[in-house]
Amino acid sequence: MTVKQWLTEDFEAGDLPLYCGETLRSARLHYHQIGELNAPKDNLILLPTYYGGAATGNHPWVGRNSPLDPDEYCIVIPSLLGAGESSSPSNTPGEQAGPGFPTVSLYDNVMLQKRLVDEVFGGASIALVMGWSMGGMQALQWGCLFPQQVRSVLATCCTARCYPHNQVFLEGVKAALTCDQNFQGGHYQNPPEHGLKAFGRVYAGWAYSQAFFRHELWRSLGFNSIEALLQFWEQDHLTQDANNLLTVLDTWQRGNISDNPVFKGNYNSALNAITMPTRVMPSTTDLYFTAEDARQDAHQMPGAAFDALTSDWGHIAGGAGREPQSHQKILAAAQSLLPEIEP
Amino acid sequence: MTVKQWLTEDFEAGDLPLYCGETLRSARLHYHQIGELNAPKDNLILLPTYYGGAATGNHPWVGRNSPLDPDEYCIVIPSLLGAGESSSPSNTPGEQAGPGFPTVSLYDNVMLQKRLVDEVFGGASIALVMGWSMGGMQALQWGCLFPQQVRSVLATCCTARCYPHNQVFLEGVKAALTCDQNFQGGHYQNPPEHGLKAFGRVYAGWAYSQAFFRHELWRSLGFNSIEALLQFWEQDHLTQDANNLLTVLDTWQRGNISDNPVFKGNYNSALNAITMPTRVMPSTTDLYFTAEDARQDAHQMPGAAFDALTSDWGHIAGGAGREPQSHQKILAAAQSLLPEIEP
């Protein structure tokens, strides 16, 4: 009995027409895979990534002690366009480099992932598509676009569109980043370090909740002070590329599962198309993907159960390996959603 | 019967020792006054100011149709140190100008106001001290320091100290402002306009609530889009001085009614000293001065009733003339607190 290893792959998609009308040249979808597709091609699990996350950020969901068991399932983590692993401002040559990178939508990401599933995984039936935050938005986009191919959906700390207050929060972090003169409209030679740090520092107030700070839960992350936590956020953002951050932020801010040629902006119609067993799991203390908005969305999805994460961790609750209690609750939900499959 | 007019006055306090150990040179407390002190000197109402606010911001509380009637009461609005009207970085000459301005505490503000009341208003008994946000923090500071002189307190959208998440929110707006290279550590020749705009844009997401945006309540303010609201916040902050903003932000962030020689950091002791009739009125949707924190505080004040403003307006609910329903509810609370006085 061998322990399965993660494979790191790239799907070269060629020139990719985007919803905005532009074409992304030599598009590349980076993904991680563990486990193999079975003969009936019905054991695929997709774990799309979250804002600021790399594919490895979803690894903690997976393992032999998890319902997401690579001995049973073929588990694939597709990386977001713009996030630094798939085609992004930071790794694209020529005129689409940096600030020349085109506008990418939620729909573009999912349609590219659809090509991956069809061309690399033989049009597999998807046992579960599951994600946190923007990963959850992608999961819901998958559900409404491909109800015949997606057998279940698990979406944590997200909504099916970016609601207005969430958009305003994002305007704030964007303003904090771009007010650094070194940003130079994206044409920076050196990273806009003040802006990246400000971005991280503003973001930290939104990512957790009032209760997280009230109860000093940052101590459980190994920090001795709030300032140490904020400095961690600064340092984490110094490792990110500013144009990448803004590209994916734009995808998020415009995110709407009905904003595409299929649903033509009819939001209820898109929600109504989510007919497979679905779990919508916001955090009760999430400040931007609020439980109230998620509840409204879930009520319009015929297949959905609403099951909030009662947590003081705010938005962070739904991330892989972040808060132990929510992590376990999410895995239990995944277990209940995963259909029996042939090994 | 004449209509009373607002008087604009300055109280010259001379060199003012501050809690931080420094001395503010030639300190000046700017205030507005309407109505006259009566013979028993027991009809004084104090309305301390809020963050970013000028004295005029409290005028809407006052009028013949309000319980704060200048025909009955002598109403005084003292301006915060650092806010631009009282001694501030922007109006102080010499080495205490700009970034040389000393650290000012909640205690310093209230002790200076105490001198105003004693030296200009003959040590009047205060019928009511009432404020929103930092104005409410000052009201609570008055209540615990001078329970013999303050007969009632009304504090909206505030807590008796700046709780940790509130501090983190303030770190965010501060980072957004200071990441503008033109800020130059406060030694700017021209205003750091990018930073001021970023400050306003980040702040806007915190000032209202998710529900405010969900229900498009910005329309009631005359805006046609969220972007128009955000641009108003930008423009409003362009009129402010960056060092002033940071001075008062620091007062707020360190704000704690027990951080002074009287209570020596014993928070419960300070709360317990608020024995006069007091109303604590947070907004149910305030994102930084939360109802939960305010409730905890109120339960430790022997004189306090907790009476939340059920509002979608977030922090803004408690401001004078902002949301009509909360405005009326606050005035009704003031009416019930105001003792009968001799005309």
Side-chain angles (χ1 to χ4, degrees):
Chain A
M1 195 174 187
T2 58
V3 175
K4 292 202 163 55
Q5 300 295 319
W6 284 99
L7 306 175
T8 299
E9 307 282 357
D10 287 301
F11 171 63
E12 301 293 345
D15 290 349
L16 186 73
L18 299 171
Y19 184 55
C20 69
E22 294 186 63
T23 296
L24 178 61
R25 302 289 167 201
S26 305
R28 187 176 71 258
L29 173 56
H30 180 80
Y31 65 98
H32 287 192
Q33 177 189 347
I34 194 167
E36 289 88 39
L37 201 61
N38 61 4
K41 296 183 179 171
D42 66 358
N43 70 334
L44 190 69
I45 292 177
L46 272 190
L47 303 176
T49 50
Y50 50 90
Y51 187 69
T56 52
N58 278 342
H59 286 197
W61 290 127
V62 178
R64 280 192 173 152
N65 295 320
S66 161
L68 280 61
D69 181 350
D71 286 337
E72 272 193 83
Y73 294 97
C74 174
I75 301 165
V76 174
I77 305 174
S79 290
L80 276 163
L81 287 167
E85 295 179 322
S86 296
S87 289
S88 300
S90 64
N91 62 23
T92 295
E95 62 184 19
Q96 292 192 322
F101 200 77
T103 297
V104 175
S105 71
L106 196 59
Y107 178 71
D108 295 323
N109 274 287
V110 168
M111 291 308 284
L112 178 56
Q113 293 165 20
K114 165 74 171 161
R115 281 187 54 194
L116 172 73
V117 171
D118 288 352
E119 298 176 29
V120 176
F121 296 95
S125 170
I126 299 173
L128 172 68
V129 52
M130 158 176 167
W132 170 44
S133 194
M134 285 187 77
M137 296 180 92
Q138 293 166 76
L140 295 170
Q141 181 74 91
W142 262 103
C144 65
L145 286 175
F146 304 109
Q148 305 305 316
Q149 191 167 14
V150 173
R151 307 212 302 288
S152 68
V153 172
L154 198 169
T156 69
C157 301
C158 73
T159 49
R161 66 183 176 104
C162 183
Y163 278 88
H165 176 263
N166 194 334
Q167 293 173 335
V168 172
F169 143 58
L170 292 173
E171 280 302 307
V173 289
K174 187 162 69 176
L177 170 56
T178 58
C179 104
D180 183 335
Q181 276 79 356
N182 291 339
F183 177 65
Q184 298 189 353
H187 296 278
Y188 44 85
Q189 296 298 312
N190 297 302
E193 293 187 352
H194 286 90
L196 288 165
K197 289 165 77 172
F199 187 100
R201 199 166 266 258
V202 174
Y203 206 124
W206 290 107
Y208 307 102
S209 74
Q210 298 96 342
F212 175 87
F213 291 101
R214 187 179 295 126
H215 303 307
E216 300 194 350
L217 298 181
W218 39 269
R219 292 194 189 279
S220 72
L221 295 171
F223 298 106
N224 293 319
S225 68
I226 288 176
E227 179 59 24
L229 173 72
L230 296 179
Q231 288 183 11
F232 170 81
W233 276 78
E234 289 186 343
Q235 294 303 313
D236 184 53
H237 280 82
L238 284 178
T239 68
Q240 307 237 17
D241 177 77
N243 286 318
N244 287 0
L245 282 171
L246 293 172
T247 295
V248 186
L249 187 150
D250 183 77
T251 303
W252 171 358
Q253 201 173 31
R254 296 172 190 263
N256 183 326
I257 63 167
S258 71
D259 185 21
N260 50 58
V262 178
F263 295 106
K264 300 183 174 66
N266 187 329
Y267 191 57
N268 280 340
S269 170
L271 294 171
N272 291 340
I274 300 175
T275 51
M276 67 292 300
T278 293
R279 203 69 63 92
V280 174
M281 305 182 82
S283 159
T284 49
T285 55
D286 196 321
L287 291 171
Y288 44 96
F289 282 113
T290 70
E292 185 165 348
D293 291 326
R295 184 193 301 271
Q296 294 286 336
D297 283 353
H299 283 177
Q300 298 295 317
M301 303 175 195
F306 177 85
D307 187 13
L309 302 165
T310 303
S311 170
D312 285 343
W313 284 63
H315 185 69
I316 300 297
R322 304 299 180 100
E323 181 201 5
Q325 188 180 324
S326 291
H327 182 92
Q328 290 307 321
K329 179 167 174 169
I330 292 163
L331 283 182
Q335 172 92 70
S336 74
L337 286 167
L338 279 168
E340 290 296 313
I341 54 105
E342 294 295 317
Chain B
M1 195 172 187
T2 58
V3 174
K4 291 202 163 57
Q5 301 295 319
W6 284 99
L7 306 175
T8 299
E9 306 282 357
D10 287 301
F11 171 63
E12 301 292 345
D15 290 349
L16 186 72
L18 299 171
Y19 184 54
C20 70
E22 294 186 64
T23 295
L24 178 61
R25 302 288 167 204
S26 305
R28 186 176 72 257
L29 173 57
H30 180 80
Y31 65 98
H32 288 194
Q33 177 188 347
I34 194 167
E36 291 86 41
L37 201 62
N38 60 5
K41 296 184 180 173
D42 65 359
N43 69 335
L44 190 69
I45 292 177
L46 272 190
L47 303 176
T49 49
Y50 50 91
Y51 188 68
T56 52
N58 278 342
H59 286 196
W61 290 127
V62 177
R64 279 190 176 156
N65 296 319
S66 160
L68 279 63
D69 181 349
D71 285 337
E72 271 193 85
Y73 294 97
C74 174
I75 300 166
V76 173
I77 305 175
S79 289
L80 275 164
L81 287 166
E85 294 179 322
S86 297
S87 289
S88 301
S90 64
N91 62 22
T92 295
E95 61 184 19
Q96 292 193 321
F101 200 78
T103 297
V104 176
S105 71
L106 195 60
Y107 178 71
D108 294 324
N109 274 287
V110 168
M111 292 306 285
L112 178 56
Q113 292 166 21
K114 164 73 171 161
R115 280 188 53 194
L116 172 72
V117 172
D118 288 352
E119 299 176 28
V120 177
F121 295 95
S125 171
I126 299 173
L128 171 68
V129 53
M130 158 175 167
W132 170 44
S133 194
M134 285 186 76
M137 296 180 91
Q138 293 166 76
L140 295 170
Q141 181 74 90
W142 261 104
C144 66
L145 287 176
F146 305 108
Q148 305 304 317
Q149 190 166 15
V150 174
R151 307 214 300 289
S152 68
V153 172
L154 199 168
T156 70
C157 301
C158 74
T159 49
R161 65 182 176 105
C162 183
Y163 278 88
H165 176 264
N166 193 335
Q167 293 174 335
V168 171
F169 143 59
L170 293 173
E171 280 301 307
V173 288
K174 187 164 66 177
L177 170 55
T178 59
C179 103
D180 183 334
Q181 276 80 355
N182 291 341
F183 176 66
Q184 298 189 355
H187 297 278
Y188 44 86
Q189 295 300 310
N190 297 303
E193 293 187 353
H194 286 90
L196 288 165
K197 289 164 76 173
F199 186 100
R201 198 167 268 258
V202 173
Y203 206 124
W206 290 107
Y208 307 102
S209 74
Q210 297 96 344
F212 176 87
F213 291 100
R214 187 179 295 125
H215 302 308
E216 300 194 349
L217 298 182
W218 39 269
R219 292 195 189 279
S220 72
L221 294 171
F223 297 107
N224 293 318
S225 67
I226 289 176
E227 179 58 24
L229 173 71
L230 295 179
Q231 288 181 12
F232 169 82
W233 276 77
E234 288 185 343
Q235 294 304 313
D236 184 54
H237 280 82
L238 285 178
T239 68
Q240 307 237 16
D241 177 76
N243 287 317
N244 287 1
L245 282 171
L246 293 172
T247 294
V248 186
L249 188 149
D250 183 76
T251 303
W252 172 357
Q253 200 174 31
R254 297 171 191 262
N256 182 328
I257 63 166
S258 71
D259 185 22
N260 50 58
V262 178
F263 296 106
K264 300 183 174 66
N266 188 329
Y267 191 58
N268 279 341
S269 170
L271 294 172
N272 291 341
I274 300 175
T275 51
M276 67 292 301
T278 292
R279 203 69 63 92
V280 174
M281 305 182 83
S283 160
T284 50
T285 54
D286 195 321
L287 291 171
Y288 44 95
F289 281 113
T290 70
E292 186 165 347
D293 291 325
R295 182 193 303 270
Q296 294 288 335
D297 284 353
H299 283 176
Q300 298 295 317
M301 302 174 196
F306 177 86
D307 187 12
L309 302 164
T310 302
S311 171
D312 285 343
W313 284 64
H315 185 68
I316 300 297
R322 306 298 180 101
E323 182 202 5
Q325 188 180 323
S326 291
H327 181 92
Q328 290 308 322
K329 180 168 173 169
I330 293 163
L331 283 183
Q335 172 92 70
S336 74
L337 286 167
L338 279 169
E340 289 297 314
I341 54 108
E342 295 294 318

